């Protein structure tokens, strides 16, 4: 009798677990837009802090540019939640005056897999002065963090 009750309890537990594959917050899994948005924000914050060190006093970031090839990605991030502040945003379509200095830090939409996420980022300090990176970010007890060093993808 005890074995039957134990098997029934185990079966119910498995059913409950199997019914939640879209649990919010699981990267790469279907879930709510809010959960996906928060993962994207946390991945960006991990690179902003771990690679660019924008959380360091006196290291004010240039204007923020969030970019996606398909153009339909626009996460709404509460940067203060991550200990960050981006005082300005970059508009790539804004008209510029000749000689105007163009600066930005760009983060592309993260790509999730079974090991975490990969994100492309870049920083432009001025004409012909910038570099791009590809970073691996993992999720763990401390939240999203860099997994080693980012690799350079372009330098100007």
């Amino acid at each position: 009798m005890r074995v039957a009750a134990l098997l029934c309890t185990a079966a119910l537990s498995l059913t409950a677990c199997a019914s939640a594959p879209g649990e919010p917050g699981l990267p790469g899994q279907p879930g709510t837009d809010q959960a996906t948005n928060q993962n994207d924000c946390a991945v960006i914050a991990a690179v902003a802090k771990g690679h660019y060190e924008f959380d360091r006093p006196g290291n004010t970031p240039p204007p923020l540019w969030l970019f996606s090839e398909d153009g339909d990605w626009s996460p709404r991030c509460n940067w203060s939640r991550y200990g960050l502040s981006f005082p300005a945003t970059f508009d790539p379509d804004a008209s510029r005056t000749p000689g105007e200095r163009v600066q930005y830090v760009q983060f592309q939409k993260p790509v999730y897999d079974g090991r975490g996420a990969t994100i492309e980022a870049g920083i432009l300090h001025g004409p012909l002065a910038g570099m791009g990176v590809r970073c691996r970010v993992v999720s763990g007890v401390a939240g999203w963090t860099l997994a080693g060093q980012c690799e350079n993808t372009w330098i100007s």
Side-chain angles (χ1 to χ4, degrees):
M1 182 71 157
R2 232 186 269 195
V3 172
L6 188 59
L7 287 174
C8 183
T9 303
L12 287 173
S13 295
L14 287 175
T15 304
C17 291
S19 66
E23 183 74 23
L26 296 176
Q29 297 292 325
T32 65
D33 287 340
Q34 181 179 5
T36 301
N37 185 57
Q38 290 310 308
N39 277 323
D40 291 351
C41 296
V43 167
I44 292 166
V47 175
K49 292 166 66 172
H51 180 72
Y52 293 113
E53 299 181 342
F54 289 146
D55 59 333
R56 211 177 56 200
N59 190 16
T60 304
L64 175 65
W65 180 12
L66 300 178
F67 175 79
S68 173
E69 291 289 333
D70 56 24
D72 68 348
W73 177 67
S74 60
R76 305 282 184 248
C77 303
N78 177 358
W79 297 118
S80 63
R81 174 181 177 188
Y82 304 102
L84 293 167
S85 173
F86 291 97
T89 56
F90 179 77
D91 180 1
D93 299 323
S95 60
R96 312 245 187 277
T97 58
E100 180 181 353
R101 186 173 180 186
V102 177
Q103 293 181 300
Y104 60 78
V105 61
Q106 179 192 71
F107 294 96
Q108 295 188 20
K109 184 177 181 179
V111 176
Y112 298 94
D113 59 30
R115 299 177 303 144
T118 303
I119 185 169
E120 303 267 340
I123 192 165
L124 188 67
H125 299 286
L128 303 177
M131 71 185 310
V133 293
R134 179 178 303 114
C135 303
R136 165 62 69 187
V137 183
V138 294
S139 179
V141 175
W144 288 94
T145 57
L146 281 180
Q149 299 292 317
C150 297
E151 67 177 287
N152 293 339
T153 57
W154 60 269
I155 297 176
S156 66

